[in-house]
Amino acid sequence: MPLCFRRATIVPAGFSRHLPGVALFLVLAWLFLAASTGAAAQTVSDGWTQPTMVVESYGTIAGSGMALTGDNYGNLHLFYPNVAEEGLVPSIDYTIWNGSEWSQPNDIIVGTMVAFPMVALDAAGLAHLIWLDGGARLQYSSAPIAEARSAQAWKQPKTFGYAMGAAGIAINEEGEIYVAYADFETQRAILLTKSADGGTNWSDPILIAEVSRANVAPNGVQIAIDGSGRLHVVWTEWILPSGAKSV
């Protein structure tokens, strides 16, 4: 499955020019949706480049989400799960856009199963990466973003929770890392945990929300921190068949 890429300079009123990564992620999602649904062709807005192939693989690419972020130097950093062919080990792969082309992808995290990578950059240029492994374990690792392409630059992965689906990560101005996720055990709770020492230690998770409807399970949690330091969390709720569990 190929990954495609488009870009444009979008500066809505009141927004910073450092937001193209958000737009790119949405366009990537739109491209895959249009391809899978066979939607009728529509006029492409002015300013967008033609789609560019990022990578093509005989494995399954981005079936379980991908993470895109930008740095202060105009580079884009893409992390995606690559479920390889039989006999090969799945991995989280990384590629960087330097303003003119994407680099050759490199596997930076290798495991029995990898899914739902999410990444956040701190003020010091450190990339903080979380993902889900085959045992529903939340994993964390970090590396200087300038060295992100080297597997050796990434710290030994650390388990810090058990989640259903994608978790969200955000970092405040003090460098504290927050992760919000759907609790694997209860399959109803949204939990929040924090690390104040660069991911070495994590606080006991606190309950911030719980689904109230029967036969509904939370998933796809995202978190953001606004300019005043206030945390905001969103998630999806899956309606389950009667009597069924979400996993």
Side-chain angles (χ1 to χ4, degrees), residues 13-229:
F15 282 76
S16 165
R17 293 180 62 93
H18 292 111
L19 288 179
V22 177
L24 289 170
F25 186 83
L26 295 175
V27 170
L28 284 166
W30 175 79
L31 285 172
F32 281 113
L33 178 63
S36 62
T37 59
Q42 298 182 15
T43 302
V44 177
S45 299
D46 292 340
W48 288 97
T49 65
Q50 289 297 314
T52 301
M53 181 80 71
V54 178
V55 62
E56 187 170 17
S57 169
Y58 292 105
T60 300
I61 294 178
S64 298
M66 52 186 165
L68 179 69
T69 189
D71 61 31
N72 293 331
Y73 302 99
N75 302 310
L76 298 176
H77 307 269
L78 177 64
F79 303 79
Y80 61 91
N82 190 355
V83 182
E85 294 179 280
E86 185 176 355
L88 298 178
V89 180
S91 62
I92 294 179
D93 289 5
Y94 166 84
T95 178
I96 179 174
W97 169 265
N98 62 10
S100 59
E101 61 182 1
W102 289 96
S103 68
Q104 180 69 25
N106 192 46
D107 53 342
I108 57 171
I109 303 290
V110 176
T112 55
M113 195 278 276
V114 290
F116 307 115
M118 292 298 293
V119 67
L121 297 183
D122 65 21
L126 198 65
H128 302 266
L129 180 67
I130 61 172
W131 69 95
L132 208 61
D133 74 3
R137 290 179 290 265
L138 270 171
Q139 302 285 342
Y140 166 86
S141 183
S142 64
I145 194 62
E147 303 173 32
R149 193 173 183 276
S150 169
Q152 289 73 31
W154 291 89
K155 288 184 178 180
Q156 181 70 24
K158 180 181 181 65
T159 300
F160 66 101
Y162 293 82
M164 292 194 305
I169 182 171
I171 304 172
N172 65 14
E173 293 181 353
E174 290 72 37
E176 296 172 321
I177 309 166
Y178 290 87
V179 173
Y181 60 97
D183 182 35
F184 180 83
E185 182 177 355
T186 66
Q187 301 185 19
R188 301 192 64 77
I190 306 297
L191 303 179
L192 179 72
T193 182
K194 179 182 81 170
S195 175
D197 58 6
T200 300
N201 297 288
W202 294 85
S203 66
D204 292 336
I206 61 172
L207 175 68
I208 60 173
E210 193 170 22
V211 296
S212 58
R213 295 180 294 169
N215 297 322
V216 170
N219 206 314
V221 182
Q222 294 292 298
I223 184 172
I225 303 176
D226 65 23
S228 66

